[in-house]
Amino acid sequence: MDDIELPDTPASPESFNGLVDEKVLAPWGEAGPAPVDRWRQDVLGADYESRTIPLMDDDAGPVVATLVRYRGPASSARASSPAAPALSPAPTTSPTDTHSARSEATPQPPHFILLYIHGRNDYFFQSELAEDIDGCGGAFYALDLRRYGRSLRPGQRMGFVSNLSLYDEDISEALDLIREDYPDLPLVLMGHSTGGLLATLWANRHPGALDGLILNSAWLEMQTMASMRSAVAPILERIASRNPMWAVPGGDGPDHYGRSLREGWNALDAPLPDSLAAYPDDPAIKGWSYALEWKRPGSYPAYAAWLEAILDGHENVASSVHLDIPVLSMMSTSSYFGEEFSEAVFSSDVVLDREVILERSARLGPLVTMASFPGKHDLLLSDPQVRAEVYDTMNRWIGAFI
């Protein structure tokens, strides 16, 4: 889960209770949200298109989802081409190029689809991922779930659901649109943090629907609370039944993760490590650019009904998830929960415990590949050399299994 600390101090007045106002539409510009009945250029630029997906009202009100697709050089050239045989694994990626070296190759028909699902307090903006998947022969799509990112609407409580299975509609409707583009290609689902939990649960509920699952620091368990879950869950259930919107008290810890993303290594006000001297303009050094209306500093409240749903998801992972598909679970090599904003913030997961991720990942099924990198909670927003290693690992795994 992104920003698991849940601080009491909000980023701005409209986010105090998780309710958002008209400012949440600002990243769209004058054109407003993506249309329902057609694709339109996305906020990420000319190579991206988005489309609003109308959904049934849930128990907290009206909702939509938003699907994004990448239409870069390779995908544009092959959009209407038939599927080709699977590509061989990608060569090792140079640290000077943070996406697949094949992105500059002659376009070939896609041989798989990848659908990406973001984490909590998040939305899709990781354009390098789209470029890499496109370059290694995939058709790339990303889904902004209900009440997140592109799908947020004024008056909604950011990220709220009372049951994780509600996301089945978001994903199934997105897949219907994707299959209009590519009816028969193998499907890979990729999830980051909370999105990794959702993707894992969806894969377990839909056997045979996926050909592979990629997890990026997946939130598969509540930190060190696994032994306490049976005691905590009934209490939370009673609270949620009486006051589902009760904001669960959280810690007041520092927002190291958000600061490391917004300001990059420059936030340390110290000389760059020698290994990064060649990358002064990299976003990991200067800070990543994203919409603060959709990915907020300091996050927002965790409501009782939402947290109850998360605990139920964790219980399902621990007791009943068994995946018969290939799984790639990626995580940081270490976690850091210290008070000091130091170099460790840039090479560790400061949100989740990587040992918990490692333990839960190993039990997901018989064909799980685990890979660790000295990177951040979102490995795709780590230092350039780390991102290169992450993409190379993904490309080789896709070449071997998909």
Side-chain angles (χ1 to χ4, degrees):
M1 179 183 72
D2 288 348
D3 303 306
I4 197 171
E5 294 167 341
L6 302 173
D8 295 330
T9 303
S12 54
E14 74 273 17
S15 68
F16 181 72
N17 289 317
L19 292 171
V20 296
D21 64 11
E22 295 290 336
K23 294 178 183 177
V24 79
L25 300 178
W28 286 110
E30 295 183 1
V36 170
D37 57 349
R38 59 186 175 85
W39 294 95
R40 191 189 71 195
Q41 181 173 313
D42 184 60
V43 296
L44 291 179
D47 290 337
Y48 296 85
E49 297 175 334
S50 54
R51 179 170 176 169
T52 296
I53 303 174
L55 302 173
M56 296 177 61
D57 293 0
D58 63 19
D59 55 357
V63 284
V64 299
T66 310
L67 186 62
V68 181
R69 68 182 180 185
Y70 180 65
R71 285 293 182 263
S75 59
S76 296
R78 68 189 181 212
S80 60
S81 303
L87 302 179
S88 59
T92 301
T93 308
S94 166
T96 60
D97 181 8
T98 56
H99 62 276
S100 170
R102 286 181 292 179
S103 62
E104 302 299 327
T106 301
Q108 300 182 45
H111 64 94
F112 70 98
I113 298 161
L114 187 138
L115 174 61
Y116 172 82
I117 300 177
H118 57 81
R120 184 176 186 267
N121 189 27
D122 208 356
Y123 73 103
F124 169 66
F125 65 93
Q126 295 83 349
S127 57
E128 276 187 345
L129 173 62
E131 295 165 8
D132 178 81
I133 295 302
D134 183 66
C136 76
F140 179 85
Y141 295 80
L143 180 62
D144 278 15
L145 299 165
R146 63 183 69 194
R147 300 192 182 94
Y148 282 110
R150 296 168 179 82
S151 305
L152 261 175
R153 297 296 183 265
Q156 292 183 339
R157 294 185 185 273
M158 191 172 184
F160 179 80
V161 292
S162 60
N163 191 318
L164 299 187
S165 65
L166 290 171
Y167 290 124
D168 281 18
E169 183 187 9
D170 306 46
I171 296 172
S172 64
E173 292 292 329
L175 290 177
D176 284 347
L177 289 176
I178 292 171
R179 290 305 184 187
E180 291 180 6
D181 292 342
Y182 301 104
D184 303 316
L185 293 185
L187 174 64
V188 177
L189 195 58
M190 179 176 182
H192 165 58
S193 198
T194 307
L197 171 64
L198 302 179
T200 299
L201 295 173
W202 191 90
N204 191 61
R205 288 195 299 267
H206 298 80
L210 293 181
D211 296 274
L213 176 66
I214 299 177
L215 303 176
N216 171 10
S217 302
W219 191 28
L220 301 177
E221 184 56 87
M222 182 66 81
Q223 302 292 74
T224 58
M225 281 183 57
S227 60
M228 299 172 56
R229 194 186 325 107
S230 60
V232 172
I235 298 173
L236 191 60
E237 181 181 4
R238 290 197 295 271
I239 295 173
S241 65
R242 298 178 182 179
N243 186 2
M245 298 303 177
W246 179 67
V248 179
D252 296 327
D255 185 22
H256 288 338
Y257 181 57
R259 184 181 179 190
S260 73
L261 296 184
R262 296 189 304 275
E263 302 178 40
W265 274 88
N266 290 340
L268 282 174
D269 194 25
L272 284 177
D274 292 341
S275 60
L276 295 174
Y279 310 98
D281 296 324
D282 190 88
I285 312 303
K286 299 170 59 177
W288 292 90
S289 177
Y290 53 84
L292 295 180
E293 297 88 348
W294 295 348
K295 185 175 177 65
R296 293 173 179 261
S299 193
Y300 51 90
Y303 300 102
W306 175 85
L307 190 55
E308 181 191 11
I310 292 293
L311 288 179
D312 184 61
H314 289 161
E315 171 62 26
N316 286 335
V317 169
S319 63
S320 61
V321 166
H322 182 85
L323 304 179
D324 291 325
I325 55 175
V327 178
L328 171 62
S329 182
M330 304 184 295
M331 65 210 75
S332 181
T333 53
S334 63
S335 293
Y336 172 74
F337 303 117
E339 292 293 322
E340 182 183 359
F341 187 79
S342 66
E343 290 190 5
V345 171
F346 295 87
S347 59
S348 307
D349 193 327
V350 299
V351 178
L352 298 180
D353 186 338
R354 65 91 57 189
E355 297 300 327
V356 174
I357 299 174
L358 186 68
E359 179 183 354
R360 282 289 179 259
S361 297
R363 302 178 183 181
L364 292 178
L367 191 56
V368 180
T369 303
M370 290 180 286
S372 298
F373 308 88
K376 297 177 185 175
H377 174 55
D378 188 344
L379 294 168
L380 304 183
L381 303 179
S382 300
D383 291 343
Q385 306 99 315
V386 176
R387 302 199 309 270
E389 293 175 7
V390 170
Y391 288 125
D392 182 60
T393 299
M394 286 176 50
N395 295 344
R396 290 177 178 274
W397 182 86
I398 289 169
F401 290 107
I402 306 302

